[in-house]
Amino acid sequence: MKIKRIKHLKQYLSFYKNNFGFREPYLILLDGTFCQAALESKIQIKEQLPKYFGGEVQLCTTTCVIHELSLLEKELGNARIIAQRFQRRHCAHKHNPVSATECLLSLVQEKNWQHYFLATQDPELTGQVKRMPCVPLLYIIQNTPVLDRPSVTSKRAAIRAQAAQLIPTQEKLHLREMKAKLCPKADRLHQRRPCKRPAGPNPLSCLKKKKKHRGVDVQTHVGDKAQRAQRATVSQAAKKKKDKKKKKKKIIAGH
C-alpha cells in the first residue's frame, strides 16, 4: 500500500506541476478539522508532511480559522494551539472574521493563482472545492496524509490549458504565407510531387508473335536451308573432280 501511495503522489504532483505550475516550497493551507485529525492520529504535521511530499513545505492558515477554533475552545482547544504555530496568510476578513470555509474558499478562488494545497477533513468544504479547478486536496486517512486525485474540473482545465498552447490554424496559414514570401525556393521543396498515373501496357508485349514452321522457328528453318545448300555445292564439286579423273583415264587408254 505504501508503494502505491507514493506512486499516486508522484503522478498527482506531476499533474499539478506540468499543467498549473506548482513548485516548491508547497504552500499547504490547513483548517481546524485537519489539525484535530492529526492530533487524534498522533501525526506530527511539521515532520511528516515534508517527508510525504519529498520536498520543502510551507504550512499556513488564516486568522478566520484560528478565530473559529477559539470559539470552539472546549472541543477544539488543542487544535487551536497547533494551528497557531503555522504562518498566517493575509485574507480580506482580518477585522471582520468569517467562517473558516468561507475564508479558505476566498483564497483558492480565481484558479488558485497562489498554488495552495488545501488540507481539510470537512466534507462540505471538499465538495465545494472539487467544483473549482486547480485546487489539490489533502486528507488524513488511516493515520497517514493522502493527496486526493485531481478532480474532473481540474482535468478539464488542464485540457483547455494544453489546447490554448497550441497554435491556431489561422496563425499556421499566416506563417506559411510569410515563409513562402521570404524563401520561395524552400516552399517549392516542400511541395508534393505529382502522383504517377497508372502506366500503359508494355509496347514489347504488343508485338506479334514469331511464326513457327511445323513446330520449328523460322530462324532455325533458314539455317537448315543454308546447310543443305553448302552440302549440295560440296557434292557437285566432288562429282566434277570424279568426271575429270575419268576423262583423263580414257585419254590415256586411247593412246
Side-chain angles (χ1 to χ4, degrees), residues 25-37:
Y26 302 121
L27 295 175
I28 300 176
L29 194 61
L30 300 97
D31 72 343
T33 58
F34 190 86
C35 294
Q36 183 65 26

Side-chain angles (χ1 to χ4, degrees), residues 18-107:
N18 297 330
N19 294 305
F20 305 115
F22 280 69
R23 294 289 181 270
E24 293 184 30
Y26 302 121
L27 295 175
I28 300 176
L29 194 61
L30 300 97
D31 72 343
T33 58
F34 190 86
C35 294
Q36 183 65 26
L39 186 66
E40 291 173 357
S41 302
K42 297 180 181 180
I43 294 172
Q44 294 182 358
I45 297 172
K46 282 189 176 180
E47 293 180 2
Q48 291 196 16
L49 285 183
K51 288 180 182 178
Y52 178 70
F53 280 93
E56 192 179 349
V57 167
Q58 190 173 348
L59 303 172
C60 52
T61 186
T62 62
T63 54
C64 296
V65 172
I66 293 169
H67 177 72
E68 188 177 75
L69 291 171
S70 63
L71 294 174
L72 302 168
E73 182 69 27
K74 292 181 181 179
E75 299 171 356
L76 302 173
N78 294 326
R80 182 181 64 82
I81 294 168
I82 294 169
Q84 283 177 342
R85 298 174 185 172
F86 306 140
Q87 182 187 2
R88 296 189 190 185
R89 304 296 290 182
H90 175 73
C91 65
H93 324 108
K94 187 174 181 180
H95 301 290
N96 296 315
V98 295
S99 65
T101 55
E102 187 178 348
C103 179
L104 295 174
L105 286 171
S106 66
L107 288 176

Side-chain angles (χ1 to χ4, degrees), residues 17 74 80 100 120 193 198 210 219 241-242 247:
K17 283 179 180 179
K74 292 181 181 179
R80 182 181 64 82
T120 181
R193 293 180 180 179
K210 295 178 182 179
Q219 291 179 355
K241 284 181 180 180
K242 285 180 180 181
K247 285 179 180 179

Side-chain angles (χ1 to χ4, degrees), residues 174-186:
H174 183 65
L175 287 170
R176 283 181 185 174
E177 289 176 0
M178 292 291 289
K179 283 180 182 178
K181 288 178 181 178
L182 292 171
C183 47
K185 291 182 180 180

Side-chain angles (χ1 to χ4, degrees), residues 20 108 111-112 129-135 151 153-154 157 160:
F20 305 115
V108 297
K111 295 183 180 181
N112 192 16
V129 168
K130 283 184 178 179
R131 296 171 194 165
M132 302 165 68
C134 321
V135 185
S151 62
T153 51
S154 295
R160 287 196 295 270

Side-chain angles (χ1 to χ4, degrees), residues 134-153:
C134 321
V135 185
L137 284 167
L138 191 67
Y139 305 118
I140 291 175
I141 301 172
Q142 296 178 358
N143 301 331
T144 53
V146 176
L147 183 66
D148 192 21
R149 68 177 63 189
S151 62
V152 177
T153 51

